[in-house]
Amino acid sequence: MPLNNYPLYIRSIPTENELKFHYTVHTSLDVVDEKISAMGKALVDQRELYLGLLYPTEDYKVYGYVTNSKVKFVMVVDSSNTALRDNEIRSMFRKLHNSYTDIMCNPFYNPGDRIHSRAFDNMVTSMMMQVC
Amino acid sequence: MSVPDYMQCAEDHQTLLVVVQPIGIVPEESFFRIYKRISAVSQVNVRDSQRVLYIRYRHHYPPENNEWGDFQTHRKVVGLITITDCSSAKDWPQTFEKFHLQKEMYGSTLYDSRLFVFGLQGEIAEQPRTDVAFYPSYDECETVEKRIEDFIESLFIVLESKRLDRATDKSGDKIPLLCVPFEKKDFVGLDTDSRHYKKRCQGRMRKHVGDLCLQAGMLQDSLVHYHMAVELLRSVNDFLWLGAALEGLCSASVIYHYPGGTGGKAGTRRAQGGSLSAEAGNRHRPGALTSNGINADTSAEIGRAKNCLSPEDIIDKYKEAISYYSKYKNAGVIELEACVKAVRVLAIQKRSMEASDFLQNAVYINLRQLSEEEKIQRYSILSELYERIGFHRKSAFFKRVAAMQCVAPSIPEPGWRACYKLLLETLPGYSLSLDPKDFSKGTHRGWAAVQMRLLHELVYASRRMGNPALSVRHLSFLLQTMLDFLSDQEKKDVTQSLESYTAKCPGTMEFITLPDGLKLPPVPFTKLPIVRSVKLLNLPTSLRPHKMKSLLGQNMSTKSPFIYSPIIAHSRGEERNKKIDFQWVQGDVCEVQLMVYNPMPFELRVENMGLLTAGVEFESLPAALSLPAESGLYPVTLVGVPQTTGQITINGYHTSVFGVFSDCLLDNLPGVKTNGCTVEVIPALPRLQISTSLPRSAHTLQPSSGDEISTNVSVQLYNGETQQLIIKLENIGAEPLEKLEVTAKTVNTKEKLYGDFLSWNLEDTLSQFPLKPGKIATFTVNIKLKLDFSCQENLLQDLNDDGISVSGLPLSSPFRQVVKPRVETKPMNPPEGSKAGDFSHVKTLEAILNFKYSGGPGHVEGYYRNLSLGLHVEVEPSVFFTRVSTLPATSTRQCHLLLDVFNSTEHELTISAKNNEDLILHAGECQRMAIQVDKFNFESFPESPADGTQFANAKQLEEERQQAKALAASSHPPEEAR
């Protein structure tokens, strides 16, 4: 999600009940905003991009990551999945970020448009497969 | 206790709870009027002391909550005020009885009570009683406030005595064990003499005294007591009460730190107190305390510094308290309320993240089975709290859940109205506004998937509310703003339901005002269809107005004294962007072309599509169109008739799609190309229609000057023939035709033309002017052609082939040498040859007749119209002079000119020449004729070929002349005799 918080890309497995995830991610933006604004202006430059666990719900854990240009990545994972520790999540975000950077390098991509990149798609799919 | 009070905030701990209730039949309106007046007295500055009492009024309080009064004294109903309507003395005993019954309900905890009787007058009312006040009516009760103050003072006295009673440490006496309702059975048979038990009793009592101190306005005392209670209770692991003591500590600290209050509403309530609140504020300010030498609360200065919690500690203690509460399932309500209170404090401290943790916890506190109404209340309050900490999305989420709860299937009577109202409140959280303008520019704002869902819910709720206009409006909004995000199937579904709604209630362009004052702006369908360009079209050429030249010149000169100025050129350029350089005419149909396309996956029917204009009265003639699915750009022409003159601006267009009427203004459309929207409408001009005696021509003239020909007629003539063209001029407009000018122009200039091609006499026609509308005038044009056919090599070839002896001088022609074999194969059949339109025989000539006409008001303004008639003339050769020779005549001054005349037509011809008898020529016949002519000196013959125009075949003759040296021929053009 870029600065004005509309989704650029959403993927979920399983695909049913997708709207629920929409809600989860949407509401998690409150926390992201809060976390960003909590960090002082001076700290913005050297801040950690990874925001950590945004909030736990009964079934899911919501993690956040914000790039320096305030593009937000939010990941919702099953809380029962114990294989995912903080470090794994962190590396997944880094991968996402790299892939996103690749998209931005595409001269035909208009920043702010929805992402329809096949490479990005494949990367997300592979990441999801790995986790499940 | 089962009913949580979500409105609670920390400073409620210092209030006294007073229940105000009606008994008997009291009109609700009157009751709430009195209730409002009573609750205005929320702070009372007690006589002789600096202390302030805070009162919390409730008109409804569940008695089971009252049972927790020992646990936290602010939950205890200490005062009861009943309001009753009693019109006759007869009813009085009964009413009084009811009052007592009511007192019984809260009996165990009440300090005092009052009965306000309205409407009763007479004997009973005159008896002075402390607990009963009589007022003649709801309007005459000026002393209510005073009464309440007295009542509160009496409450204070009881409170103070209780506090003093409990506070004095009678260590010798046995301290009763205070307990909450669910604990009672746990202590049955417990050893009451153990140290542990005693400590527990002491701790609980301390806490209770702390509560009382807080209520009595002795903040510092209460802090001390709470601290002691915490110590005592911690040692005996009495967690529930420890939690309560900690919470009390927090409350007292909050009251100290935030005199403004933590509950938003409480703050405003306090502000009403005026001078009282100012004093209350003073009390909390440390400086004010020290400067005031005499202070009843002696513990204040000592205890303040060390007993009061710091803002950070408050939160830690709240956390601790809540964790203790959570150990007890029955204390869920207490835990929930503590969470709510803590969140309010955190909101003031602007620590949103921690607040959200508390709220998150509160969400999971499982109370017993909640009723639907309680659920709604719970979600609403969660939403409100999230809003307060700035989590607008979360707030919107819970508000939406609350809204859905209003209409849960388990509810027998779904509250669609409430649901709708709540849903509307969620809009800002989803960055949705109901104004389509916010979505017309730039990228989409907000989370489309979620927004769509919400809009669907709004549509459904408004439909169930029985307000179809509203659902149409929301559905239109959904379609308009979310079009890019809807799948094809969804598009179909949405439009289908929209159509079914509009069948009952068509969508309009009016604002819809909701009962609570919210205005829903209209939603024009600017995307159904999408308009890409708007182009104002000029009138058809024949109707285009022209300005008289002289007037135009004047116009130019008045604009600027300079011939050229870069500044003016610049500004003119800008002007041109807006204004168009052609004019429309009043009363004539004008057209605007839109390029539209249909983004929907199915056929789009647009009805009643017309123009929106300003400046000039304009009669728009709506069109209906049907656009195929996902069409490309599709031209649509909208027409209308300007009724007055002046500047007309095309502002936009209106449509009716799926039964929704929309007015789309061009200003609000993104990405629309336009060549300008303002055009001048000039006064009405007459319209001329011409019809001729000749058949219409299939040929269309390609005019050189760019103006188009409205009508084309064609005529076939033999060379030299004259024909009359009768033109009927009909005024089909509404204005009289006053002026007419006719000019002619020959287009085809390749051929050499002799003599006047077209001639006319305008006088006859003009005598019929002015031509009233609907009247017809006639105009006659003579067409006469004299062309040179001498180069018709084919024809000559034909002649040779025909075996006609050609002797003497051969006719020289540049084409002579090129003999085409195809000609030879052609049988010489004269009638067929001419009929088949052998083009080599036929020459065409084209001319344009221009009719400039004007009349009516447009004429006064100096405008005229130009109508062009295209004339297509096919000329066939009539006779040829195939050979020319001379013979000397009897006189030396004269000679005989011998001409071989060939009739190329299929008719019989009579040729008459000067002084000769007529020669009759049959079709295809060639005969020699002799004409006697005078000889003349060649040198003296004028060079000008203009003289030769007399001859039909001048070129031919000229060649002859050169060879004959001195030869002049004179021949009358052959007359055709059919």
Side-chain angles (χ1 to χ4, degrees):
Chain A
M1 289 139 269
L3 209 53
N4 36 0
N5 294 326
Y6 58 91
L8 290 180
Y9 186 87
I10 283 196
R11 268 290 287 287
S12 69
I13 46 168
T15 41
E16 72 259 20
N17 215 349
E18 203 182 284
L19 197 62
K20 183 177 149 192
F21 291 109
H22 278 282
Y23 277 116
T24 313
V25 178
H26 183 247
T27 49
S28 73
L29 288 177
D30 276 331
V31 185
V32 175
D33 281 354
E34 185 60 40
K35 286 208 173 189
I36 296 173
S37 64
M39 281 184 277
K41 272 252 179 322
L43 285 169
V44 167
D45 294 338
Q46 62 263 48
R47 77 193 163 83
E48 168 78 88
L49 301 177
Y50 177 57
L51 295 178
L53 183 66
L54 296 181
Y55 67 94
T57 69
E58 271 171 54
D59 312 319
Y60 303 102
K61 283 180 181 162
V62 186
Y63 295 93
Y65 185 93
V66 180
T67 70
N68 284 319
S69 54
K70 301 278 193 303
V71 175
K72 292 140 200 144
F73 297 115
V74 174
M75 201 150 35
V76 185
V77 298
D78 207 320
S79 353
S80 60
N81 195 335
T82 46
L84 287 171
R85 306 194 146 266
D86 222 36
N87 259 338
E88 279 81 50
I89 299 284
R90 204 183 281 258
S91 72
M92 277 163 78
F93 272 128
R94 210 156 292 146
K95 249 163 104 183
L96 261 178
H97 193 176
N98 284 339
S99 203
Y100 178 74
T101 319
D102 288 345
I103 293 172
M104 293 304 284
C105 293
N106 178 0
F108 298 106
Y109 177 73
N110 230 339
D113 281 0
R114 286 189 143 242
I115 295 170
H116 295 293
S117 155
R118 202 177 307 147
F120 192 75
D121 243 11
N122 292 340
M123 196 275 309
V124 174
T125 316
S126 72
M127 216 158 71
M128 283 172 157
M129 287 304 152
Q130 225 172 39
V131 169
C132 292
Chain B
M1 183 163 84
S2 58
V3 185
D5 177 4
Y6 294 104
M7 299 313 289
Q8 264 200 25
C9 43
E11 55 285 3
D12 284 344
H13 281 255
Q14 67 176 336
T15 58
L16 292 167
L17 183 62
V18 173
V19 171
V20 184
Q21 276 179 330
I23 52 170
I25 302 143
V26 178
E28 201 168 287
E29 193 192 332
S30 312
F31 170 73
F32 279 102
R33 219 169 69 207
I34 300 299
Y35 179 73
K36 227 173 137 188
R37 288 183 62 177
I38 292 171
S39 43
V41 193
S42 61
Q43 292 175 335
V44 175
N45 209 355
V46 184
R47 253 185 314 202
D48 313 330
S49 74
Q50 293 279 317
R51 288 186 266 164
V52 178
L53 282 188
Y54 295 91
I55 318 295
R56 196 154 53 106
Y57 295 95
R58 288 280 180 277
H59 52 85
H60 172 78
Y61 197 72
E64 61 264 40
N65 280 15
N66 198 18
E67 287 165 21
W68 285 73
D70 283 339
F71 182 66
Q72 285 172 326
T73 51
H74 71 282
R75 297 181 188 278
K76 197 186 275 190
V77 180
V78 291
L80 176 71
I81 298 170
T82 49
I83 292 167
T84 188
D85 206 328
C86 186
S87 49
S88 69
K90 220 168 41 201
D91 298 334
W92 169 242
Q94 202 188 345
T95 310
F96 200 63
E97 190 58 35
K98 277 188 195 157
F99 170 55
H100 280 290
L101 276 175
Q102 198 74 23
K103 271 208 298 198
E104 294 286 295
M105 219 163 117
Y106 303 107
S108 56
T109 57
L110 281 187
Y111 294 171
D112 203 355
S113 57
R114 286 285 182 278
L115 174 64
F116 288 178
V117 185
F118 289 92
L120 194 66
Q121 273 169 320
E123 230 176 281
I124 305 155
E126 270 140 40
Q127 296 170 356
R129 292 181 67 119
T130 47
D131 58 342
V132 183
F134 295 97
Y135 297 105
S137 78
Y138 293 107
D139 300 315
E140 297 167 58
C141 49
E142 293 77 20
T143 54
V144 165
E145 282 86 356
K146 184 81 195 75
R147 278 272 180 175
I148 297 294
E149 276 178 41
D150 290 347
F151 170 62
I152 288 163
E153 246 168 72
S154 84
L155 289 181
F156 175 70
I157 292 162
V158 183
L159 176 71
E160 192 67 2
S161 73
K162 284 209 179 220
R163 181 182 71 82
L164 290 170
D165 184 38
R166 303 265 159 87
T168 45
D169 200 359
K170 294 172 223 154
S171 49
D173 296 2
K174 193 160 188 175
I175 303 169
L177 178 72
L178 297 166
C179 54
V180 294
F182 73 87
E183 282 179 323
K184 277 187 178 122
K185 59 180 185 297
D186 299 347
F187 294 117
V188 177
L190 214 71
D191 179 13
T192 54
D193 286 332
S194 70
R195 254 195 89 200
H196 191 263
Y197 184 80
K198 267 190 185 152
K199 258 199 161 168
R200 178 179 280 204
C201 293
Q202 274 177 353
R204 290 187 179 192
M205 187 50 78
R206 276 283 164 209
K207 195 250 153 216
H208 183 68
V209 174
D211 280 352
L212 291 176
C213 286
L214 192 59
Q215 282 187 309
M218 298 163 71
L219 185 71
Q220 303 304 336
D221 273 7
S222 71
L223 282 170
V224 175
H225 286 296
Y226 282 136
H227 270 292
M228 283 163 70
V230 168
E231 293 299 309
L232 284 166
L233 292 168
R234 209 188 283 277
S235 62
V236 293
N237 291 339
D238 188 1
F239 293 123
L240 185 62
W241 284 77
L242 174 56
L246 286 168
E247 199 192 336
L249 198 54
C250 294
S251 304
S253 307
V254 168
I255 292 162
Y256 174 77
H257 282 295
Y258 310 108
T262 56
K265 281 167 202 148
T268 54
R269 187 182 66 196
R270 207 144 295 176
Q272 292 168 358
S275 62
L276 278 177
S277 78
E279 242 173 278
N282 271 346
R283 197 175 63 88
H284 290 296
R285 224 173 287 144
L289 279 173
T290 44
S291 66
N292 198 336
I294 320 138
N295 194 337
D297 192 353
T298 43
S299 67
E301 279 135 293
I302 314 153
R304 184 168 19 96
K306 69 170 188 254
N307 288 332
C308 187
L309 297 172
S310 70
E312 288 74 33
D313 284 346
I314 294 175
I315 299 309
D316 287 344
K317 291 289 185 275
Y318 261 123
K319 267 187 197 153
E320 198 183 340
I322 289 164
S323 73
Y324 292 141
Y325 288 148
S326 63
K327 291 183 200 288
Y328 299 87
K329 212 164 169 253
N330 290 317
V333 173
I334 304 289
E335 187 188 351
L336 189 61
E337 286 184 4
C339 281
V340 171
K341 286 177 226 174
V343 169
R344 289 187 207 272
V345 174
L346 281 165
I348 292 243
Q349 295 182 349
K350 306 232 181 307
R351 290 158 72 181
S352 313
M353 282 308 294
E354 279 162 296
S356 83
D357 289 342
F358 274 102
L359 273 177
Q360 190 80 32
N361 181 41
V363 174
Y364 295 121
I365 295 172
N366 209 359
L367 298 182
R368 54 162 190 102
Q369 203 62 40
L370 288 172
S371 73
E372 303 297 342
E373 201 182 322
E374 283 167 328
K375 277 186 198 163
I376 296 165
Q377 203 189 3
R378 182 171 171 161
Y379 293 131
S380 306
I381 209 73
L382 278 170
S383 152
E384 190 206 305
L385 291 171
Y386 271 118
E387 183 74 49
R388 186 166 291 181
I389 60 171
F391 281 27
H392 301 289
R393 298 180 189 91
K394 204 79 171 166
S395 159
F397 177 83
F398 278 107
K399 197 146 261 173
R400 193 189 139 266
V401 173
M404 291 295 107
Q405 202 64 54
C406 290
V407 293
S410 55
I411 296 182
E413 266 179 58
W416 289 105
R417 239 158 240 290
C419 168
Y420 181 77
K421 197 168 168 292
L422 286 170
L423 282 177
L424 275 187
E425 288 169 17
T426 66
L427 290 173
Y430 291 112
S431 39
L432 256 184
S433 75
L434 289 177
D435 192 349
K437 281 191 192 104
D438 297 345
F439 287 88
S440 62
K441 283 178 190 87
T443 45
H444 188 83
R445 288 170 54 224
W447 202 280
V450 185
Q451 290 174 337
M452 249 154 59
R453 177 88 201 166
L454 179 65
L455 284 172
H456 271 299
E457 280 159 359
L458 273 175
V459 170
Y460 193 69
S462 52
R463 189 171 74 91
R464 295 299 298 263
M465 259 163 66
N467 194 339
L470 214 52
S471 42
V472 166
R473 179 58 49 88
H474 288 309
L475 207 50
S476 323
F477 182 83
L478 172 70
L479 202 56
Q480 165 72 16
T481 56
M482 302 291 161
L483 195 64
D484 300 344
F485 303 98
L486 289 167
S487 70
D488 284 359
Q489 187 54 44
E490 283 170 324
K491 281 179 191 169
K492 256 177 219 164
D493 295 346
V494 168
T495 47
Q496 257 167 23
S497 45
L498 182 59
E499 271 172 317
S500 70
Y501 291 162
T502 50
K504 281 172 248 152
C505 174
T508 60
M509 277 305 286
E510 268 122 52
F511 277 84
I512 295 180
T513 308
L514 296 178
D516 56 351
L518 187 72
K519 277 189 174 164
L520 295 184
V523 182
F525 278 145
T526 57
K527 285 183 179 170
L528 294 173
I530 297 176
V531 172
R532 275 279 170 264
S533 77
V534 176
K535 194 175 158 199
L536 275 65
L537 296 184
N538 203 344
L539 291 169
T541 335
S542 60
L543 296 179
R544 237 171 252 178
H546 301 272
K547 190 92 177 163
M548 305 287 186
K549 277 274 154 43
S550 57
L551 285 170
L552 192 77
Q554 273 178 14
N555 234 11
M556 292 279 273
S557 61
T558 52
K559 258 186 185 168
S560 156
F562 303 108
I563 295 169
Y564 173 76
S565 154
I567 302 160
I568 286 169
H570 183 248
S571 68
R572 225 177 253 164
E574 271 185 332
E575 215 173 290
R576 201 173 298 138
N577 287 340
K578 293 229 123 192
K579 257 183 90 172
I580 301 171
D581 56 354
F582 57 76
Q583 291 103 16
W584 281 354
V585 179
Q586 174 192 355
D588 278 349
V589 174
C590 302
E591 297 177 319
V592 173
Q593 192 182 52
L594 307 180
M595 295 304 281
V596 300
Y597 86 88
N598 171 15
M600 303 301 259
F602 46 83
E603 190 180 306
L604 184 67
R605 297 187 55 80
V606 185
E607 275 149 31
N608 200 25
M609 191 166 187
L611 292 170
L612 294 173
T613 58
V616 166
E617 212 176 291
F618 190 80
E619 185 196 344
S620 181
L621 308 170
L625 52 138
S626 168
L627 297 170
E630 313 235 354
S631 68
L633 278 184
Y634 206 86
V636 174
T637 308
L638 299 179
V639 296
V641 180
Q643 304 288 2
T644 55
T645 61
Q647 294 277 340
I648 188 168
T649 308
I650 305 297
N651 290 332
Y653 59 94
H654 61 83
T655 58
S656 164
V657 183
F658 309 127
V660 178
F661 295 96
S662 6
D663 291 348
C664 309
L665 296 181
L666 295 180
D667 293 345
N668 301 337
L669 297 182
V672 170
K673 275 189 280 178
T674 160
N675 63 342
C677 300
T678 307
V679 75
E680 199 184 337
V681 177
I682 62 153
L685 282 170
R687 281 181 69 172
L688 188 63
Q689 194 185 46
I690 50 179
S691 51
T692 65
S693 52
L694 296 172
R696 279 178 173 260
S697 159
H699 294 268
T700 33
L701 283 179
Q702 289 300 320
S704 49
S705 59
D707 38 24
E708 286 163 50
I709 311 297
S710 51
T711 330
N712 275 300
V713 292
S714 66
V715 60
Q716 267 192 354
L717 285 178
Y718 286 106
N719 197 12
E721 190 184 350
T722 303
Q723 197 166 356
Q724 271 199 339
L725 167 64
I726 297 162
I727 299 171
K728 276 190 195 167
L729 305 170
E730 186 178 2
N731 184 1
I732 54 167
E735 300 298 329
L737 208 159
E738 289 157 8
K739 281 267 179 197
L740 180 71
E741 266 178 58
V742 184
T743 52
K745 194 165 67 183
T746 313
V747 178
N748 215 346
T749 50
K750 267 186 287 178
E751 301 291 338
K752 228 172 189 178
L753 189 65
Y754 301 97
D756 279 337
F757 170 30
L758 300 168
S759 59
W760 60 81
N761 189 0
L762 199 57
E763 304 302 307
D764 296 345
T765 316
L766 286 180
S767 65
Q768 302 170 42
F769 277 36
L771 200 59
K772 292 269 173 309
K775 289 278 163 33
I776 300 172
T778 52
F779 175 63
T780 313
V781 180
N782 291 315
I783 308 168
K784 188 168 151 191
L785 275 173
K786 290 174 185 169
L787 281 182
D788 176 11
F789 278 91
S790 62
C791 293
Q792 298 291 318
E793 44 97 18
N794 284 338
L795 194 76
L796 292 172
Q797 185 75 40
D798 287 349
L799 293 176
N800 291 339
D801 294 344
D802 221 22
I804 296 167
S805 71
V806 180
S807 57
L809 297 164
L811 291 175
S812 75
S813 158
F815 309 108
R816 195 77 179 89
Q817 280 73 31
V818 198
V819 177
K820 300 236 166 67
R822 69 167 168 93
V823 190
E824 283 165 41
T825 59
K826 211 185 106 209
M828 182 56 196
N829 195 347
E832 201 186 315
S834 63
K835 214 184 250 171
D838 188 352
F839 283 102
S840 59
H841 292 224
V842 179
K843 290 195 177 191
T844 57
L845 205 67
E846 285 170 339
I848 297 168
L849 274 170
N850 272 321
F851 296 86
K852 282 186 184 178
Y853 63 96
S854 185
H859 177 58
V860 180
E861 295 280 311
Y863 288 97
Y864 66 90
R865 269 177 171 158
N866 200 353
L867 187 65
S868 303
L869 174 69
L871 192 59
H872 182 88
V873 186
E874 287 183 358
V875 193
E876 283 184 62
S878 46
V879 291
F880 286 100
F881 298 99
T882 55
R883 209 167 56 173
V884 182
S885 59
T886 52
L887 270 178
T890 44
S891 159
T892 48
R893 304 270 315 266
Q894 288 183 319
C895 68
H896 285 288
L897 182 67
L898 299 180
L899 297 166
D900 284 357
V901 188
F902 169 63
N903 177 8
S904 67
T905 67
E906 70 263 40
H907 303 284
E908 197 180 271
L909 287 180
T910 308
I911 297 173
S912 57
K914 189 174 72 179
N915 306 330
N916 274 48
E917 69 265 42
D918 292 352
L919 181 72
I920 295 170
L921 268 179
H922 296 286
E925 203 179 13
C926 186
Q927 278 194 26
R928 178 165 296 184
M929 67 184 289
I931 306 164
Q932 202 172 35
V933 289
D934 290 340
K935 283 184 181 173
F936 62 92
N937 191 0
F938 187 70
E939 274 69 40
S940 70
F941 192 80
E943 281 292 306
S944 162
D947 271 38
T949 51
Q950 280 289 317
F951 304 101
N953 306 15
K955 193 178 175 190
Q956 207 172 350
L957 288 178
E958 205 165 32
E959 284 163 1
E960 296 292 328
R961 199 163 49 205
Q962 278 169 355
Q963 281 153 3
K965 299 253 157 135
L967 247 174
S970 135
S971 113
H972 283 286
E975 300 286 319
E976 189 179 357
R978 286 173 192 266

mmCIF file of all heavy atoms in Angstrom, chain B residues 6 9 54 130 267 309 526 687 920:
data_model
loop_
_atom_site.group_PDB
_atom_site.id
_atom_site.type_symbol
_atom_site.label_atom_id
_atom_site.label_comp_id
_atom_site.label_asym_id
_atom_site.label_seq_id
_atom_site.Cartn_x
_atom_site.Cartn_y
_atom_site.Cartn_z
ATOM 1 N N TYR B 6 -20.633 1.001 29.795
ATOM 2 C CA TYR B 6 -19.495 1.314 28.920
ATOM 3 C C TYR B 6 -19.114 2.787 28.960
ATOM 4 O O TYR B 6 -18.066 3.163 28.491
ATOM 5 C CB TYR B 6 -19.807 0.918 27.486
ATOM 6 C CG TYR B 6 -19.961 -0.561 27.303
ATOM 7 C CD1 TYR B 6 -21.206 -1.139 27.157
ATOM 8 C CD2 TYR B 6 -18.830 -1.371 27.273
ATOM 9 C CE1 TYR B 6 -21.341 -2.502 26.989
ATOM 10 C CE2 TYR B 6 -18.959 -2.728 27.097
ATOM 11 C CZ TYR B 6 -20.210 -3.300 26.962
ATOM 12 O OH TYR B 6 -20.328 -4.649 26.785
ATOM 13 N N CYS B 9 -15.988 6.261 33.257
ATOM 14 C CA CYS B 9 -14.611 6.713 33.161
ATOM 15 C C CYS B 9 -14.060 6.851 34.585
ATOM 16 O O CYS B 9 -14.806 6.743 35.558
ATOM 17 C CB CYS B 9 -14.523 8.002 32.372
ATOM 18 S SG CYS B 9 -15.776 9.193 32.774
ATOM 19 N N TYR B 54 -19.606 15.335 43.511
ATOM 20 C CA TYR B 54 -20.014 15.102 42.121
ATOM 21 C C TYR B 54 -21.133 14.085 42.104
ATOM 22 O O TYR B 54 -21.073 13.088 42.821
ATOM 23 C CB TYR B 54 -18.838 14.571 41.294
ATOM 24 C CG TYR B 54 -17.734 15.575 41.175
ATOM 25 C CD1 TYR B 54 -16.691 15.623 42.098
ATOM 26 C CD2 TYR B 54 -17.753 16.503 40.129
ATOM 27 C CE1 TYR B 54 -15.692 16.556 41.991
ATOM 28 C CE2 TYR B 54 -16.749 17.443 40.022
ATOM 29 C CZ TYR B 54 -15.714 17.467 40.951
ATOM 30 O OH TYR B 54 -14.737 18.401 40.836
ATOM 31 N N THR B 130 -40.051 17.103 54.288
ATOM 32 C CA THR B 130 -38.680 17.198 53.765
ATOM 33 C C THR B 130 -38.479 16.318 52.540
ATOM 34 O O THR B 130 -37.780 16.681 51.617
ATOM 35 C CB THR B 130 -37.659 16.788 54.842
ATOM 36 O OG1 THR B 130 -38.126 15.584 55.427
ATOM 37 C CG2 THR B 130 -37.449 17.865 55.864
ATOM 38 N N GLY B 267 -16.334 15.883 30.504
ATOM 39 C CA GLY B 267 -15.636 17.155 30.444
ATOM 40 C C GLY B 267 -16.582 18.294 30.138
ATOM 41 O O GLY B 267 -16.544 19.328 30.791
ATOM 42 N N LEU B 309 0.027 8.565 41.894
ATOM 43 C CA LEU B 309 0.761 7.820 40.875
ATOM 44 C C LEU B 309 1.144 8.747 39.728
ATOM 45 O O LEU B 309 0.421 9.679 39.393
ATOM 46 C CB LEU B 309 -0.106 6.697 40.322
ATOM 47 C CG LEU B 309 -0.522 5.618 41.301
ATOM 48 C CD1 LEU B 309 -1.527 4.692 40.641
ATOM 49 C CD2 LEU B 309 0.678 4.828 41.797
ATOM 50 N N THR B 526 -21.111 9.560 -14.887
ATOM 51 C CA THR B 526 -20.208 10.082 -15.901
ATOM 52 C C THR B 526 -19.428 8.968 -16.563
ATOM 53 O O THR B 526 -18.743 9.191 -17.543
ATOM 54 C CB THR B 526 -19.221 11.074 -15.288
ATOM 55 O OG1 THR B 526 -18.518 10.413 -14.243
ATOM 56 C CG2 THR B 526 -19.927 12.270 -14.725
ATOM 57 N N ARG B 687 -34.415 30.234 -44.379
ATOM 58 C CA ARG B 687 -33.797 29.052 -44.994
ATOM 59 C C ARG B 687 -34.367 28.891 -46.377
ATOM 60 O O ARG B 687 -35.574 28.993 -46.595
ATOM 61 C CB ARG B 687 -34.131 27.805 -44.176
ATOM 62 C CG ARG B 687 -33.293 27.673 -42.945
ATOM 63 C CD ARG B 687 -33.649 26.432 -42.215
ATOM 64 N NE ARG B 687 -33.243 25.239 -42.934
ATOM 65 C CZ ARG B 687 -33.322 24.027 -42.420
ATOM 66 N NH1 ARG B 687 -33.807 23.866 -41.218
ATOM 67 N NH2 ARG B 687 -32.935 22.981 -43.101
ATOM 68 N N ILE B 920 -30.681 19.929 -94.778
ATOM 69 C CA ILE B 920 -31.225 18.914 -93.863
ATOM 70 C C ILE B 920 -30.257 17.749 -93.791
ATOM 71 O O ILE B 920 -29.845 17.197 -94.804
ATOM 72 C CB ILE B 920 -32.605 18.435 -94.320
ATOM 73 C CG1 ILE B 920 -33.567 19.621 -94.212
ATOM 74 C CG2 ILE B 920 -33.101 17.288 -93.452
ATOM 75 C CD1 ILE B 920 -34.895 19.393 -94.839
#
